[in-house]
Amino acid sequence: MSADAPLTRESFRRLHPISTPRPVVQLPDRVWSDEEWDRIRRGYRARGMDEKWNVFVEGDVLLMHRSWTGRGIYEVSFVPVAGRGWRIASAVVEADGKRLRNMGDAYHCLMMELVISAIVLGEPAAELRAGLVELTAGASGKSDLPEGVVEHSALGLRSGS
């Protein structure tokens, strides 16, 4: 497969669908350019043990799976925005508490955008990363969580970062 060929379901060893989908009500406001959407459609495969996400597109739906378990976490439906690019129209998240801790819609909204931005597109995403640390600290009741630990736990380490 060429480096530019989009990843597909068949590109991954094992994938498990979301067992208990729950709609995510709060969605990112961002509009991704056509060029960014083209890159998103190529997907992302974890390149090592420290990376946590495998991502691919079927139609206009972006599927985000954890790399170690193959479990589906997010399914994100994109729609074109006339002359402006693509935005998220709807999304579902895994609601089975044995598979994923429910951190609330604000967290899931941020995580969807963060995985797309930082992992798939390779953007620094500093504001999103700071938001992840803030939301995680708030949920844990601890204000002194190390940023690096929070980010690695949720995102993993992207090769070359």
Side-chain angles (χ1 to χ4, degrees), residues 113-124:
E113 185 173 356
L114 188 53
V115 170
I116 295 166
S117 298
I119 302 299
V120 178
L121 297 176
E123 299 171 346

Side-chain angles (χ1 to χ4, degrees), residues 9 12 14-18 44 46 52-56 58 62-75 115:
R9 183 175 296 280
F12 302 98
R14 66 175 185 267
L15 295 175
H16 306 286
I18 292 175
Y44 185 85
K52 304 217 183 243
W53 293 96
N54 287 324
V55 180
F56 62 98
E58 292 180 337
L62 181 70
L63 296 103
M64 301 181 201
H65 289 253
R66 293 302 283 212
S67 62
W68 279 30
T69 63
R71 289 182 176 154
I73 302 298
Y74 299 107
E75 291 182 7
V115 170

Side-chain angles (χ1 to χ4, degrees), residues 88-108:
I88 297 174
S90 64
V92 296
V93 63
E94 175 61 73
D96 181 345
K98 293 177 185 167
R99 293 180 176 215
L100 183 70
R101 183 175 166 206
N102 183 6
M103 298 285 286
D105 271 2
Y107 177 88
H108 294 304

Side-chain angles (χ1 to χ4, degrees), residues 39-40 43-47 50-55 64-65 111-125 128-129 151-152 154-159 161:
R39 175 61 197 102
I40 292 165
Y44 185 85
R45 179 196 333 254
R47 295 178 180 97
D50 284 330
E51 294 187 339
K52 304 217 183 243
W53 293 96
N54 287 324
V55 180
M64 301 181 201
H65 289 253
M111 275 302 295
M112 289 184 295
E113 185 173 356
L114 188 53
V115 170
I116 295 166
S117 298
I119 302 299
V120 178
L121 297 176
E123 299 171 346
L128 294 172
R129 289 173 184 271
E151 289 182 24
H152 180 63
L155 297 174
L157 297 176
R158 191 172 193 265
S159 294
S161 61

